């Protein structure tokens, strides 16, 4: 399954957002996702399985619990794929950086001009 097929699902993206904050028990992930999306526990388990089988998440047993975490390797693959399209936004980001710097200079200048001499 292509990485973007996996990430295209809003439930899986939300699960990954939760896991990005650190390792979490499957029960905690399930509870949050069930509350936010109104889906069943088996549906959440299916999404966790897809993330695990496609290499976006890892799972490790700890007693009776299963702890899930983000697996960064697949995100490197996504990043490499997106790199091909960087030229479309790099110029705009550079322009934004220039405008932000200009705004900061003007704000500093205005502050200095407003000071009593």
């Amino acid at each position: 399954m292509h990485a973007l097929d996996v990430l295209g699902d809003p439930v899986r993206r939300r699960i990954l957002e939760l896991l990005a904050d650190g390792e979490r028990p499957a029960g905690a992930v399930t509870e949050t996702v069930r509350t936010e999306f109104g889906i069943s526990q088996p549906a959440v388990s299916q999404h966790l399985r897809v993330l695990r089988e496609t290499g976006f998440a890892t799972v490790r047993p700890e007693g009776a619990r299963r702890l899930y975490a983000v697996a960064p390797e697949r995100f490197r693959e996504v990043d490499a794929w997106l790199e091909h399209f960087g030229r479309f936004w790099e110029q705009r980001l550079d322009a934004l950086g220039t405008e932000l710097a200009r705004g900061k200079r003007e704000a500093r200048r205005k502050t200095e001009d407003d000071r009593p001499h």
Side-chain angles (χ1 to χ4, degrees):
M1 183 178 283
H2 190 278
L4 293 181
D5 293 328
V6 175
L7 299 176
D9 185 277
V11 173
R12 290 193 286 263
R13 284 195 312 269
R14 180 61 178 131
I15 291 170
L16 289 169
E17 288 170 358
L18 294 168
L19 298 178
D21 291 335
E23 192 175 57
R24 289 185 180 233
V29 172
T30 299
E31 188 58 37
T32 300
V33 172
R34 286 182 66 198
T35 300
E36 292 179 7
F37 289 90
I39 62 176
S40 67
Q41 181 274 327
V44 177
S45 293
Q46 179 67 23
H47 285 292
L48 285 168
R49 185 172 71 87
V50 168
L51 291 171
R52 190 178 64 248
E53 288 179 354
T54 57
F56 280 97
T58 60
V59 63
R60 71 176 180 87
E62 184 180 82
R65 300 183 328 159
R66 299 290 174 257
L67 299 173
Y68 280 82
V70 167
E73 297 80 28
R74 276 307 293 270
F75 288 97
R76 290 186 194 106
E77 175 187 324
V78 172
D79 190 46
W81 186 83
L82 286 172
E83 191 175 306
H84 293 292
F85 301 94
R87 64 180 179 196
F88 295 113
W89 60 78
E90 284 174 1
Q91 221 174 10
R92 290 187 177 130
L93 289 175
D94 290 344
L96 175 61
T98 300
E99 288 302 315
L100 290 172
R102 181 178 295 138
K104 287 179 183 177
R105 280 193 309 271
E106 289 174 6
R108 249 190 334 267
R109 201 170 323 145
K110 184 176 177 359
T111 301
E112 290 170 0
D113 291 346
D114 289 345
R115 287 186 191 150
H117 296 285

